[in-house]
Amino acid sequence: MKREVNSVEQPITLKNNGQINIVLNNETKKERVYTTSIPRPVKRPIVNHEPLLEIEREMSGLVGMDELKKMIKEIYAWLYINKKREESGLKAEKQAMHMMFKGNPGTGKTTVARLLGKLFLNMNVLSKGHLIEAERADLVGEYIGHTAQKTRDLVKKALGGILFIDEAYSLARGGEKDFGKEAIDTLVKHMEDANDKFVLILAGYPREMENFLSLNPGLRSRFPFIFDFPDYDVNELMDIADRMMDDRQYQFSGDAYKKLKEHFMDVKYNQTPLDFSNGRYVRNILERSIRAQSMRLLEEANYGKEQLITLKSSDIRL
């Protein structure tokens, strides 16, 4: 089957305030805590650009990654050249690596955060490179002072790695008297006090994140990197489906492939289901379809290899 996907259309742009905007796609599975490596107390030398090559190898199997590859290489180049300037006795620019991710569910935000944690670990920017994922309930307490303590505890766990806060805009929903504002203030303080000890990534839906930034104008300048994660197009959704099927050792019949692609075209151009979540939406359809195929084969008592690996049109559960 054709595995070629369209590259991301929007380019990287550099705003006057120094912020970098990038558009990228990816597929992800949400995790609460992900540790990329055992802490390494001794800094290791960077040999033959292996940190960059390692990330590129991992990304080569992911969908819609052209702009991300370019951006990661730029970040790597900046970090690497800064280290070379230090070695030569020149001034090395210091820049916070805090980021904002704007995108709908299933567009790759958590996976990208994990990859960046691994890159920063291998570049000796972070000492552990692990990913701590949190949401409003993990930061906001029930009484005065509770929120600040919960937030400090999360930052402490994230030291040496990345603190990834999903649906970050929910911290500003309650207005000035809500404890969410206390969480924001505590995060800002730690961004200043421990700027080089962890990376903070705030993530969420595009529109809500823009509104969040408008309510907290001082926040935007604290995040030099803003990433936009667009929804996948039809070809990319089919490519994700193909890769998931290959991983599970299944294949589509011609009619099944056509049925699924027509469904994605309908979803993209005629409707937007409430549960549409890009890569996760594809995975959910395939898992339902594989269960349907299992029921069909059980009733047919037909267990040949070709039958075991093939999903028919009647198996596709939309």
Side-chain angles (χ1 to χ4, degrees):
M1 296 180 182
K2 189 174 181 181
R3 303 297 293 274
E4 183 180 351
V5 298
N6 295 333
S7 62
V8 180
E9 295 179 355
Q10 292 178 276
I12 295 175
T13 57
L14 180 62
K15 293 185 176 181
N16 293 332
N17 61 7
Q19 290 177 331
I20 296 174
N21 286 276
I22 176 177
V23 178
L24 50 92
N25 267 335
N26 197 333
E27 179 189 359
T28 184
K29 293 184 179 179
K30 188 172 182 179
E31 301 173 19
R32 295 297 296 169
V33 178
Y34 186 96
T35 303
T36 60
S37 178
I38 298 173
R40 303 179 186 182
V42 180
K43 292 185 177 181
R44 63 179 185 176
I46 298 170
V47 180
N48 297 325
H49 303 299
E50 182 58 31
L52 176 64
L53 296 176
E54 182 179 345
I55 295 300
E56 289 182 335
R57 283 194 295 268
E58 291 198 34
M59 291 164 48
S60 64
L62 302 174
V63 174
M65 302 300 293
D66 291 344
E67 294 298 333
L68 175 59
K69 289 178 182 178
K70 181 178 179 180
M71 187 59 193
I72 283 187
K73 193 167 186 177
E74 287 188 8
I75 292 175
Y76 171 84
W78 179 79
L79 292 170
Y80 185 82
I81 296 303
N82 257 9
K83 290 182 182 296
K84 289 299 181 183
R85 288 176 61 86
E86 284 181 339
E87 293 171 3
S88 299
L90 298 171
K91 290 183 178 179
E93 181 183 358
K94 300 295 183 182
Q95 178 176 327
M97 303 304 293
H98 304 304
M99 304 176 179
M100 282 196 174
F101 288 3
K102 299 188 295 181
N104 291 321
T107 50
K109 298 185 292 295
T110 305
T111 296
V112 171
R114 185 188 310 134
L115 290 173
L116 288 170
K118 183 174 292 187
L119 175 66
F120 293 154
L121 169 67
N122 291 335
M123 290 294 293
N124 299 316
V125 174
L126 296 174
S127 61
K128 299 178 182 178
H130 62 299
L131 178 68
I132 301 293
E133 188 178 0
E135 54 191 23
R136 178 185 165 92
D138 299 309
L139 289 92
V140 178
E142 300 176 355
Y143 50 84
I144 295 176
H146 189 207
T147 294
Q149 185 59 51
K150 291 182 71 173
T151 304
R152 283 195 295 267
D153 290 343
L154 264 180
V155 171
K156 185 176 180 180
K157 291 179 182 178
L159 290 178
I162 293 177
L163 177 56
F164 181 92
I165 302 177
D166 202 11
E167 298 184 2
Y169 46 80
S170 64
L171 295 174
R173 280 178 176 168
E176 287 292 322
K177 296 182 179 181
D178 184 73
F179 289 141
K181 183 179 184 300
E182 186 180 359
I184 296 173
D185 294 341
T186 305
L187 286 171
V188 168
K189 183 179 187 304
H190 283 286
M191 289 171 67
E192 296 173 350
D193 296 346
N195 187 46
D196 60 344
K197 295 182 174 62
F198 82 110
V199 172
L200 176 64
I201 298 178
L202 301 185
Y205 292 99
R207 183 180 301 175
E208 285 83 349
M209 287 300 289
E210 275 301 314
N211 184 56
F212 174 58
L213 290 174
S214 69
L215 294 174
N216 299 272
L219 277 178
R220 188 183 293 270
S221 62
R222 300 180 187 275
F223 293 87
F225 300 95
I226 297 180
F227 293 74
D228 291 316
F229 292 67
D231 291 336
Y232 292 109
D233 63 28
V234 172
N235 288 334
E236 289 169 334
L237 290 171
M238 290 305 299
D239 197 1
I240 291 171
D242 279 343
R243 292 166 191 251
M244 288 182 177
M245 291 284 280
D246 287 344
D247 288 342
R248 293 165 172 78
Q249 292 188 315
Y250 284 91
Q251 66 183 17
F252 293 113
S253 69
D255 288 344
Y257 186 88
K258 181 180 178 181
K259 179 178 180 179
L260 185 60
K261 186 170 185 178
E262 288 177 347
H263 173 69
F264 289 149
M265 292 180 67
D266 185 47
V267 166
K268 295 294 293 183
Y269 302 118
N270 299 324
Q271 58 171 311
T272 304
L274 294 177
D275 63 344
F276 182 72
S277 53
N278 289 280
R280 291 202 292 273
Y281 185 81
V282 177
R283 186 182 70 244
N284 291 339
I285 289 178
L286 294 186
E287 289 177 350
R288 289 196 300 267
S289 300
I290 288 172
R291 292 195 298 269
Q293 182 235 33
S294 299
M295 287 294 294
R296 176 176 60 78
L297 294 179
L298 188 67
E299 293 174 357
E300 294 175 354
N302 190 350
Y303 313 122
K305 183 175 180 180
E306 189 70 16
Q307 286 71 35
L308 290 170
I309 67 174
T310 303
L311 293 188
K312 294 184 176 181
S313 177
S314 60
D315 299 323
I316 303 299
R317 295 291 185 266
L318 305 174

